[in-house]
DNA sequence: GCCGGATTGGGTCAAGTGTCCCAGACGCTT
DNA sequence: AAGCGTCTGGGACACTTGACCCAATCCGGC
């Protein structure tokens, strides 16, 4: 097999690990299964990582850093806050549907972090990054739509992540896309209702925040 | 060790399996770990179950049947639909907080069902039972509060489960009880807003539906 | 062209795992 | 008391796993 640097191999192994976890579960993500998925040998694995635990910890760290996160919740700037949120949640859901194995992998890693001594902070960090991403998007959407959030932004962000998590879990379980989309409608309404219109006044023109669905940002959805 | 019937032993092993899964993850739920938790020997295990897979499948089936489900979402009949929903969600959350390992076990089993050939139907059945329980509770609450649900009951129920799932996941990750309780407030408002008051007319007296928090019913919350 | 660090393929080992087996004990029925 | 079905403790076996090892190869720098 072609030689490559340790850093490159680490990335390929981390990506292979996510695919094996997502398709077969964490139990089946043995070192042999991961190197087979990556097209490598065990020696290369241990050249790149000291242990399987080190690989899993790095995969989780990369998820938290956003390098391997799930769908970004994004919003299209628009005049109507509800449509903005709705568009963003649909884009998020399209991403989930495009790669459900990825979502399952994130869930498995979250559970692993919750029960593994010394790793709980990664579960917390994962949700902090989800909440941060949601906070940014809600701030951008509010600016674009000319609204303010009545509740603290952190609470609204948590509310958004609550819904994207719940929508994802139910859909992974029952595959009912139409029902999930109806839930998204209800969720968008609920989120939009947290907003108040800004009193009418001259709007200061400025560039719209960059929040395209294509950007690979921290997600504010489910694990 | 005291002798007992096969049926009794099956129940004890299933309960022990849930505890091991919740505390250490599915990977660590080996036959030896489970019998140690149950205070039995391997021979007793294999007297009760043909294999580890059979035990796990039965545990999941029992979860679906509600025998080992999570917190029941319950509602206190009241005049105000929002307070009814709020009370119920608080009761649900209290139950989650009382035994987070149980919630983690349900999550692990759900993920296992999602990736294991032949078991996906159990994941679907699990959510169907959650949705059924939520549907029943929403119907009872509406009757008690003198409201109707604008949207189809199935959609409202799915919305409820979406929120209880999301609230549970975020709390398991970051342990922020106060934030979770603020999310519950927002969720209760969002759910209550799906209701319309029934037009004023003589109310036909009838027994209030049994929906006490103590009853061990199918949950309508997270996996 | 040589050298040395980087990287590799293939193998090995100890530990753990799921499953199976068996002699023995227990308890109920006759 | 005997017989028989049920249940048990302890052990064994084949397989898998994570980690480690080593000779060999590759490739960049000098």
């Amino acid at each position: 097999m072609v030689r490559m640097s340790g850093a490159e191999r680490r990335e390929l192994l981390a990506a292979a690990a996510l695919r094996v976890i997502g398709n077969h579960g964490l139990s089946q993500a043995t070192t042999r299964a991961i190197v087979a998925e990556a097209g490598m040998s065990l020696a290369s694995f241990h050249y790149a990582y000291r242990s399987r635990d080190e690989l899993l910890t790095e995969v989780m760290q990369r998820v938290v850093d956003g390098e391997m996160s799930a769908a970004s919740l994004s919003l299209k700037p628009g005049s109507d806050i509800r449509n903005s949120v709705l568009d963003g949640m649909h884009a998020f859901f399209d991403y989930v549907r495009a790669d459900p194995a990825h979502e399952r992998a994130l869930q498995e890693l979250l559970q692993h972090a919750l029960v593994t001594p010394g790793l709980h902070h990664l579960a917390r960090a994962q949700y902090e990054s989800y909440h941060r991403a949601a906070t940014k998007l809600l701030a951008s959407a509010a600016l674009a739509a000319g609204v303010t959030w009545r509740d603290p932004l952190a609470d609204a962000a948590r509310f958004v992540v609550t819904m994207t998590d719940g929508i994802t879990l139910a859909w992974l379980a029952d595959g009912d896309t139409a029902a999930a989309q109806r839930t998204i409608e209800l969720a968008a309404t609920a989120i939009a209702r947290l907003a108040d219109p800004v009193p009418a006044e001259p709007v200061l023109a400025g560039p719209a925040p960059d929040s395209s669905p294509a950007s690979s940002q921290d997600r504010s959805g489910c694990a």
Side-chain angles (χ1 to χ4, degrees), chain A:
Chain A
M1 162 214 334
V2 69
R3 297 165 70 91
M4 65 182 74
S5 73
E8 184 177 1
R9 196 174 295 285
R10 286 171 78 88
E11 289 187 34
L12 291 174
L13 283 166
L18 259 188
R19 291 195 297 277
V20 173
I21 293 169
N23 288 311
H24 306 289
L26 190 58
S27 300
Q28 304 300 317
T30 65
T31 49
R32 286 167 177 78
I34 294 169
V35 300
E37 172 72 23
M40 295 181 195
S41 71
L42 283 170
S44 301
F45 181 106
H46 284 285
Y47 181 72
Y49 291 98
R50 280 193 185 84
S51 67
R52 178 178 183 267
D53 282 347
E54 183 180 298
L55 167 62
L56 293 180
T57 303
E58 175 154 329
V59 168
M60 286 187 273
Q61 189 61 60
R62 286 165 182 259
V63 164
V64 166
D65 292 344
E67 297 171 39
M68 303 178 109
S69 198
S72 258
L73 184 62
S74 63
L75 302 170
K76 290 202 184 88
S79 63
D80 178 36
I81 187 65
R82 184 184 183 275
N83 279 335
S84 198
V85 169
L86 188 62
D87 285 345
M89 293 193 83
H90 274 301
F92 160 80
F93 187 51
D94 287 343
Y95 195 101
V96 167
R97 286 170 61 201
D99 195 358
H102 190 87
E103 293 304 315
R104 292 194 297 265
L106 297 181
Q107 289 285 334
E108 291 259 6
L109 289 167
L110 174 68
Q111 297 303 320
H112 179 67
L114 291 176
V115 299
T116 304
L119 294 188
H120 196 112
H121 70 284
L122 287 177
R124 186 176 294 116
Q126 189 172 340
Y127 270 75
E128 280 167 6
S129 83
Y130 291 163
H131 291 147
R132 266 197 309 278
T135 299
K136 279 198 252 173
L137 285 166
L138 288 176
S140 299
L143 190 63
V147 300
T148 64
W149 300 107
R150 228 171 13 257
D151 297 87
L153 205 47
D155 289 344
R158 193 181 182 95
F159 194 50
V160 169
V161 174
T162 293
M163 290 213 253
T164 52
D165 269 357
I167 288 164
T168 300
L169 270 179
W171 182 78
L172 285 175
D174 62 21
D176 194 336
T177 299
Q181 283 165 340
R182 292 195 296 274
T183 308
I184 286 171
E185 295 278 347
L186 297 178
T189 301
I191 294 166
R193 276 181 156 141
L194 303 182
D196 283 331
V198 169
E201 63 185 307
V203 174
L204 299 180
D210 178 14
S211 58
S212 80
S215 67
S216 182
Q217 294 168 337
D218 282 347
R219 64 102 42 83
S220 57
C222 60

